[in-house]
Amino acid sequence: MSTIIDKAKEIVERNGMTSKITLLQGKMEEIKMPFPQVDIIISEWMGYFLLYESMLDTVLYARDHYLAKDGKIFPDKATIHMAGIEDGDYKDEKIGFWDNVYGFDFTPLKDTALAEPLVDTVELKACVTDPCKVFEIDLYTINAEDLAFRAPFSLKARRSDFIHALIAWFDIEFTACHKPIRFSTGPHSKYTHWKQTVFYLREVLTVEDGECVTGFLASKPNAKKKRDLDISLKYELQTSDDSRFAAGGLDFKM
């Protein structure tokens, strides 16, 4: 859609590829393709939390209208994962800040701050729980309506600690390559600009090694802005001896 296509045309011409490469400017849903089918679709459609401001709807449109039988999509699989983290200092800085703003009580803004997920880099050592796979996408079979989901999670504590937030990240796979390729945007991997998505909890959870935080993660496109997301979290911690119980839920706008 952007004017960078003008420079792309110059580059194609300078490298003697005008007979092999055709550049089209416009929205996939609106342009007229010069041929009825394609063998391969390549797209970097992923957004924060995988689906925020993503272009996946457009990729699925291209698949349904142009991909030949047995055609390939790159990448073709994506998975959202979750974990629980200890992040007391940063939570106090981001959320507790509103308790005292230069001597004034700004606590009504706490709920607003909690409702906005933070996109930031989380250190692996902050992870209190094992990761949990929550939502999977197969680009060959998924439909646009499937992108609104509600999925269970179970996060097992790997040490006794506090949980201040739940984080989400995604993995991407290119399974149709001669040698399958994948990369992760998780805290255990090299830095990517997608970072991780942090959902701060209203209350601090105290977990012992081996205990599980269970719940549901739900996400759907915003009714007014389809590239924005409405995300909700329901979580519960109950010890085997019933000595501790905690439950809660939060709604987020992204």
Side-chain angles (χ1 to χ4, degrees), residues 16-81:
M17 302 292 286
T18 52
S19 63
K20 298 180 180 297
I21 297 176
T22 301
L23 299 170
L24 304 176
Q25 185 174 23
K27 293 183 178 180
M28 171 59 66
E29 294 86 348
E30 297 175 357
I31 61 173
K32 181 175 176 59
M33 296 283 276
F35 32 76
Q37 289 187 320
V38 299
D39 298 305
I40 299 173
I41 294 174
I42 304 172
S43 177
E44 191 281 277
W45 53 267
M46 300 81 71
Y48 297 131
F49 187 67
L50 185 62
L51 299 175
Y52 173 63
E53 289 192 334
S54 86
M55 294 290 292
L56 184 52
D57 283 6
T58 295
V59 179
L60 300 184
Y61 178 92
R63 178 199 69 188
D64 294 342
H65 287 77
Y66 295 110
L67 188 64
K69 183 181 180 182
D70 299 324
K72 305 300 182 185
I73 303 175
F74 298 95
D76 59 334
K77 293 190 184 300
T79 307
I80 295 177
H81 300 264

Side-chain angles (χ1 to χ4, degrees), residues 191-206:
Y191 171 85
T192 72
H193 78 276
W194 290 285
K195 304 178 183 179
Q196 292 87 48
T197 305
V198 183
F199 303 99
Y200 284 105
L201 307 181
R202 187 170 279 107
E203 305 295 335
V204 179
L205 300 181
T206 303

